[in-house]
Amino acid sequence: MAKLPFGVSKALEVWRHVSQTTVRPTNLILAGNPRLVEAARERFAAGGVVPAEWRVSADRLANSELPAEDLILLLVTPEEEEAYSVAVAARRPAGGAIIAVDEGARATGRASSIGLRCRRLSFSDSEWGWQRLYEICVETAGERAVSLAKRYPVLRDSAARRVIAKGALQGGAVGIASALRGTQAPALAAVQLNVVLTLAALHGHKLDQERVPEVVLVVAAGFGTGRVARYLERRVPKAAWLVRVVAATLGTLAVGLAALCYYRKGAPWSTTRLISFVASLRR
């Protein structure tokens, strides 16, 4: 009899972890050049919450109390950069800070570290520049990225890509570990379930009984990936470890991309809808 990738207790553990990490309150605070701040307010407010704005000079910012969980976004011109950089470095914001310097046509989109939890972005007030800024906001937010993207939907695509990429890397790490210890299925299923539930939360779906069909599909996908990997290992025994790594990485990537498409469509096969569909067939 085939053994399932992992049990109910492990699934509930992953479920609780995702629920806790995706509800942490995280806000965005804007400051800096009035023209750029106004443009940022319009963009980040699209479909979500209007970010808070601090109308303070660099000197006053250096003496302001910064919220622990909030991400500070400073949009400045090259002439204003030095004063704001000094102010932020002095405060060392616990929630992180980004200094987006509008360099116009000379902007490279390169982000560099300028201190503890602080990054500088070569920015331009263009569509490409804003998309790059969204990516840096998600990277700087780290574990708070999903909560931030739920509040400001313009960050959703960048956050989703981060969740899937991180999951694929973790899947590859599980593949490497399994080559050494021989235990892959439970850990890989946990990684894939974490990706799916995080994407669900990111797209505004509650992590309740409605997610049961997705959990079942993740278990099935993990079982199928394991079967394929074992088949390929028998065909190329000398590269069995490589097969495990590739299968785990690509399998997690495929699960993540499928889940992303599914949640973008509104999760059409949630528990309630599935029950309604089955009931309609019995009439």
Side-chain angles (χ1 to χ4, degrees):
M1 184 176 179
K3 186 178 179 181
L4 293 177
F6 67 158
V8 174
S9 61
K10 186 63 177 179
L12 291 176
E13 181 183 335
V14 175
W15 202 305
R16 284 193 294 268
H17 171 73
V18 175
S19 297
Q20 292 169 359
T21 57
T22 55
V23 296
R24 295 170 59 183
T26 305
N27 299 308
L28 190 65
I29 298 177
L30 306 176
N33 183 275
R35 176 183 63 82
L36 295 172
V37 167
E38 183 58 32
R41 278 172 59 87
E42 292 180 3
R43 284 182 172 267
F44 280 96
V49 178
V50 179
E53 178 184 351
W54 284 0
R55 294 179 180 274
V56 296
S57 64
D59 292 339
R60 287 182 59 193
L61 179 64
N63 298 314
S64 300
E65 191 67 29
L66 303 180
E69 290 293 328
D70 294 348
L71 178 63
I72 312 300
L73 175 56
L74 301 168
L75 298 109
V76 300
T77 63
E79 294 76 21
E80 300 166 325
E81 177 183 0
E82 183 177 358
Y84 278 99
S85 296
V86 171
V88 170
R91 297 305 302 161
R92 296 183 179 180
I98 301 169
I99 299 180
V101 184
D102 185 7
E103 297 182 321
R106 297 185 293 109
T108 64
R110 180 175 177 271
S112 56
S113 175
I114 57 174
L116 186 63
R117 295 182 294 274
C118 297
R119 305 184 75 184
R120 178 195 187 275
L121 173 66
S122 176
F123 168 76
S124 70
D125 185 8
S126 63
E127 190 59 37
W128 167 82
W130 287 104
Q131 293 299 325
R132 179 58 178 153
L133 178 59
Y134 300 156
E135 294 174 359
I136 299 303
C137 286
V138 167
E139 291 177 13
T140 306
E143 293 298 321
R144 297 164 296 143
V146 173
S147 296
L148 191 68
K150 286 170 64 177
R151 195 166 180 80
Y152 308 105
V154 291
L155 302 175
R156 185 177 292 163
D157 288 345
S158 295
R161 288 193 294 269
R162 182 181 185 275
V163 169
I164 295 172
K166 182 180 179 181
L169 289 174
Q170 291 176 334
V174 168
I176 294 174
S178 71
L180 300 175
R181 298 196 298 266
T183 55
Q184 176 175 349
L188 182 60
V191 169
Q192 293 176 347
L193 181 58
N194 184 81
V195 169
V196 170
L197 291 180
T198 302
L199 290 173
L202 177 62
H203 286 79
H205 299 288
K206 293 183 178 180
L207 300 185
D208 53 18
Q209 68 274 9
E210 294 297 317
R211 306 280 71 79
V212 171
E214 289 109 85
V215 174
V216 174
L217 289 175
V218 169
V219 172
F223 179 73
T225 299
R227 292 291 296 270
V228 172
R230 285 191 292 275
Y231 171 77
L232 293 176
E233 286 174 24
R234 291 193 296 268
R235 299 296 298 268
V236 284
K238 292 183 179 180
W241 67 271
L242 181 60
V243 169
R244 291 192 181 192
V245 173
V246 172
T249 302
L250 294 183
T252 304
L253 183 63
V255 166
L257 293 175
L260 180 59
C261 292
Y262 175 80
Y263 291 123
R264 281 177 172 173
K265 293 179 179 179
W269 292 106
S270 59
T271 302
T272 300
R273 292 180 179 180
L274 188 60
I275 291 175
S276 299
F277 175 72
V278 174
S280 68
L281 296 179
R282 294 178 178 178
R283 294 169 186 166

